[in-house]
Amino acid sequence: MPRSYRRSAVAFLLCGVLAMTLFVTGPAQAKDSAWTVRGPSPHSGPLAQLRLDGASGALALQVSRGGRTVIEPSPVGIVTERADLSHGLRYLGRHDRTVVERYRSTVGKQRSRTARMTETRFRFRGGGNARLDLVVRVSDDGVAYRYDLPSGSGDVLGETSAFTLPPDAAAWLGDYRKDNENLFKEYTAATAPTGEYMAQALFETGGGYALIAESDLTGRYSAARLTHQQGMPTYRIGLWDERVESDGPLSTPWRALIVGDLPTVTQSTFTDDLAPASRVADTSWIRPGPALWTWLAGGKPAGQSLSMQKGYVDYAAQRGWPYVVVDAGWYFDPDQWDVTDPDWQRNSWIPQLVDYARERQVGIQVWIHHRDLDTAEEREQWLPTLERWGVKGVKIDFMDSESQETLRWYDEILKDTAAHHLLVNFHGSTIPKGIQRTWPQVMSMEGVNGEEKRTNTPQHLATLPFTRNVIGSMDFTPGAFHRPERPNAVSDAGEVGLSVLYESGIQNLAGTPESYDARPLARRFLEQIPATWDRTRLLAGRPGESAVLARASGSRWFIGGTFTGPAHTAEVPLRLEPGRWLVDLILDGPDGLVRKPTVVRGGQTLSVPVAADGGFAAIACRWRPGLSTCDRP
């Protein structure tokens, strides 16, 4: 037999044997694949590991820090009209890059920011030849991922995204509510009751703390909440809408984990770092600052009275507060005008108030109901009018939804308020998931069980700095000394401290002029609250027990602390720069507030007597011989 024929015969025989082998044994088992994404500081920061199961084609993401687990392998996937991209995936490749972005914020924990992240884009193909890109970012303080889908993917029907914690991880959770205003309570990851929770959940694991968050949420998608079954340590992403409409390429919001020790998490700007850059070119008109909020001070009658509002303007001018916020009532009085009349604006006294306030260097912001701005025609009626009157900002209330339709409304109102140079404070709202970087006129958002509520607890107050306020400005409205319902009613010093402890671009101070005048030390402290902060540091605390934060403005540090439990002496590390500091303390005394100046070196411990469920406030400045106060003249 010729040699070429012999070769052909052997090849044919081998093919036959291989075919028989495959017939008998079936297809070979595919191997698992795993990839690691490291951040800028892999030895101290978190790292993410993505794993593709060879048998099911399903993805799972694990997060660790310092060699210890933060998040157990957790499902990653999305389901669209065209394909179920939670399994059956085949790896196509990856692309790595470094992201470095520098930007300035109009509000928040610090003005100047630098975001450094490593980014890996993983490309997959699923059933029906559907495509999916999974984009993973890792920074020194967080891990995030999002799904990128090409045109033709259809509407999104849901995500299989989830976070699996160690079962015994301490958990601070708030039941889900459409306006994000429920209390935080402490559980463990597995024992929390079955239900839905707000997507601002904090866990303590062996690898540090992890705060679940979301960023770059717009009308292209639907807001997330967490769903949980008691006994299981997994928290799944649930969307407001059963179907998310998409008619083109889609980048979903970021599923984010803020990761690190407690100071790292508390001081993090990760959700802003993930968000798109500012869409407002000229921000010179955007001016944060404290405001006298007249709702808790005077209620609806104050909103209906020009003379009362002038009195508040006078008081704000005396205090040096740049704003007065006129709340509900100013445009709902039937004795003033018919709101269905196109010329109703001419009957308003707001322009008179604006002129009066301008002469005293005070700006006016006004409350307005969402239903009066929910169409393009209404926005065209209201917003140019308010700008023409000289109103500086709007407090928009009662959206009470995180649906895709409502988020599309946010997109429109944000463009319109920027165009008409109006600052914005959203109430009855979602929370600021990166929105303040993209739209810097957003001074604050509610999304918190704040001072006007009657159900707050000291534990809730001591959890907010580690959960809700990490994500963005929070309009808690502190300073309502006259309200007996406030949870730290026995501690006026604690109430003063909340004005620093809680960050808000417009710090709406909720007390009456009489209550401030009765507490001159509190009044003097609140007169000095800065418009913005340069830096923020956590000095001490644990969620649900205590929180002490220091925020810098120029060379001075403002300090606020809140504590739960009986009266005691708190030991607070003064984590400031080296050198001697004069710490001007405001404490609770037997007959009211007292001032106690103390000289301490940076890094030493500050002993602070606090009342039961109370707190304190302080200003720290560089000590020099003869200096006895940190007050500015």
Side-chain angles (χ1 to χ4, degrees):
M1 180 183 294
R3 183 175 299 176
S4 61
Y5 279 75
R6 288 200 300 271
R7 288 198 200 100
S8 298
V10 171
F12 181 81
L13 179 63
L14 289 175
C15 288
V17 172
L18 178 61
M20 287 298 295
T21 302
L22 291 174
F23 179 79
V24 173
T25 63
Q29 182 71 32
K31 294 182 179 179
D32 293 352
S33 300
W35 307 272
T36 298
V37 184
R38 303 179 186 276
S41 304
H43 298 296
S44 58
L47 61 84
Q49 185 177 65
L50 184 68
R51 182 175 296 274
L52 179 65
D53 184 270
S56 65
L59 288 169
L61 185 75
Q62 180 176 1
V63 176
S64 60
R65 176 176 169 268
R68 304 186 70 180
T69 298
V70 176
I71 298 292
E72 306 277 2
S74 302
V76 173
I78 190 168
V79 180
T80 72
E81 285 183 307
R82 181 180 173 191
D84 183 346
L85 296 167
S86 65
H87 61 86
L89 297 176
R90 301 187 302 280
Y91 175 66
L92 300 179
R94 66 184 284 178
H95 173 74
D96 302 288
R97 73 182 183 114
T98 299
V99 177
V100 179
E101 297 176 346
R102 294 177 175 84
Y103 65 100
R104 283 183 65 81
S105 176
T106 56
V107 299
K109 303 167 195 175
Q110 62 185 68
R111 296 291 304 279
S112 297
R113 305 182 184 183
T114 300
R116 292 186 176 88
M117 296 171 275
T118 57
E119 178 185 282
T120 300
R121 178 178 291 271
F122 296 96
R123 301 188 303 277
F124 299 95
R125 191 181 303 278
N129 225 24
R131 292 288 300 272
L132 168 68
D133 283 6
L134 181 72
V135 184
V136 179
R137 284 188 176 182
V138 181
S139 73
D140 285 345
D141 58 349
V143 173
Y145 65 88
R146 77 186 325 166
Y147 306 105
D148 274 8
L149 300 170
S151 295
S153 298
D155 294 349
V156 173
L157 305 182
E159 297 182 23
T160 55
S161 315
F163 301 94
T164 299
L165 287 303
D168 59 351
W172 292 269
L173 309 169
D175 292 339
Y176 182 77
R177 180 172 146 161
K178 61 186 179 182
D179 57 7
N180 295 280
E181 293 182 25
N182 271 332
L183 299 176
F184 283 90
K185 299 177 183 178
E186 184 175 356
Y187 307 96
T188 66
T191 61
T194 297
E196 294 184 323
Y197 295 94
M198 296 183 288
Q200 40 178 312
L202 179 67
F203 300 90
E204 183 183 15
T205 73
Y209 287 82
L211 177 64
I212 296 175
E214 185 176 26
S215 182
D216 192 16
L217 176 64
T218 69
R220 72 181 185 278
Y221 212 68
S222 180
R225 67 189 73 175
L226 301 175
T227 64
H228 175 252
Q229 181 178 346
Q230 190 171 36
M232 304 295 291
T234 298
Y235 291 76
R236 302 186 182 280
I237 293 293
L239 302 177
W240 179 289
D241 298 285
E242 293 183 0
R243 176 185 290 264
V244 178
E245 297 177 357
S246 178
D247 58 2
L250 174 66
S251 290
T252 68
W254 293 99
R255 303 278 161 251
L257 283 168
I258 303 172
V259 177
D261 58 19
L262 203 53
T264 299
V265 171
T266 308
Q267 296 159 202
S268 172
T269 60
F270 189 51
T271 51
D272 285 344
D273 296 344
L274 291 166
S278 172
R279 294 184 59 181
V280 181
D282 176 18
T283 60
S284 61
W285 56 275
I286 300 174
R287 298 174 182 171
L292 178 57
W293 179 43
T294 68
W295 180 251
L296 291 189
K300 194 169 183 177
Q304 297 175 336
S305 170
L306 174 59
S307 62
M308 289 182 69
Q309 291 297 330
K310 284 184 175 180
Y312 291 129
V313 166
D314 291 337
Y315 195 80
Q318 294 165 10
R319 307 280 76 79
W321 296 332
Y323 296 109
V324 164
V325 178
V326 183
D327 215 281
W330 69 270
Y331 71 95
F332 285 134
D333 188 348
D335 295 332
Q336 294 183 25
W337 64 80
D338 178 3
V339 294
T340 63
D341 182 351
D343 294 327
W344 63 266
Q345 297 98 328
R346 69 181 60 172
N347 296 311
S348 176
W349 47 259
I350 289 293
Q352 298 177 55
L353 181 64
V354 169
D355 291 342
Y356 184 87
R358 184 187 297 115
E359 294 173 356
R360 290 152 181 80
Q361 298 183 319
V362 174
I364 297 299
Q365 301 184 36
V366 296
W367 177 93
I368 187 168
H369 201 293
H370 161 259
R371 67 187 171 211
D372 294 307
L373 294 170
D374 59 1
T375 68
E377 294 76 17
E378 288 169 335
R379 293 192 290 275
E380 186 58 33
Q381 178 189 35
W382 279 94
L383 301 182
T385 299
L386 295 175
E387 181 185 27
R388 186 173 65 251
W389 286 351
V391 169
K392 298 299 183 182
V394 286
K395 175 183 173 181
I396 309 173
D397 207 345
F398 294 119
M399 283 69 70
D400 289 337
S401 169
E402 294 186 305
S403 69
Q404 185 179 25
E405 179 183 9
T406 301
L407 294 171
R408 286 171 174 167
W409 172 85
Y410 276 102
D411 295 342
E412 295 303 316
I413 197 70
L414 288 165
K415 287 187 293 186
D416 292 344
T417 51
H420 293 290
H421 300 96
L422 293 168
L423 306 179
V424 180
N425 177 4
F426 289 116
H427 270 231
S429 64
T430 185
I431 62 176
K433 303 174 181 182
I435 196 174
Q436 291 179 286
R437 179 181 180 187
T438 309
W439 297 103
Q441 80 272 22
V442 178
M443 295 288 94
S444 192
M445 303 178 79
E446 191 178 25
V448 65
N449 203 80
E451 191 87 295
E452 63 180 312
K453 305 300 189 297
R454 301 173 185 271
T455 56
N456 272 325
T457 65
Q459 291 72 27
H460 177 64
L461 298 189
T463 304
L464 290 174
F466 308 108
T467 51
R468 165 65 181 86
N469 212 190
V470 171
I471 294 170
S473 294
M474 179 179 78
D475 196 19
F476 184 88
T477 68
F481 296 99
H482 62 294
R483 285 174 65 83
E485 304 91 345
R486 59 191 171 96
N488 55 341
V490 298
S491 176
D492 282 353
E495 189 69 46
V496 180
L498 296 184
S499 65
V500 175
L501 192 63
Y502 301 150
E503 185 278 322
S504 181
I506 296 292
Q507 189 65 283
N508 280 296
L509 302 171
T512 63
E514 295 78 13
S515 68
Y516 295 136
D517 290 342
R519 298 166 178 83
L521 284 176
R523 184 183 63 195
R524 179 58 180 147
F525 186 92
L526 297 175
E527 288 171 350
Q528 300 183 76
I529 291 293
T532 57
W533 302 111
D534 298 320
R535 301 175 300 286
T536 292
R537 291 183 186 172
L538 176 68
L539 301 186
R542 176 177 169 79
E545 297 177 7
S546 64
V548 183
L549 267 72
R551 304 187 192 272
S553 176
S555 61
R556 296 194 300 171
W557 288 85
F558 289 73
I559 303 173
T562 191
F563 299 82
T564 64
H568 66 287
T569 297
E571 302 298 329
V572 178
L574 198 65
R575 304 182 198 275
L576 306 182
E577 291 81 2
R580 300 181 75 179
W581 294 86
L582 173 64
V583 182
D584 220 345
L585 289 161
I586 295 180
L587 307 171
D588 291 294
D591 301 312
L593 294 174
V594 296
R595 177 174 165 267
K596 182 183 177 183
T598 304
V599 177
V600 183
R601 288 191 177 275
Q604 290 184 335
T605 298
L606 184 68
S607 296
V608 184
V610 294
D613 292 332
F616 74 99
I619 304 176
C621 57
R622 288 288 187 182
W623 179 85
R624 63 179 185 274
L627 185 68
S628 60
T629 179
C630 289
D631 282 356
R632 287 258 169 90

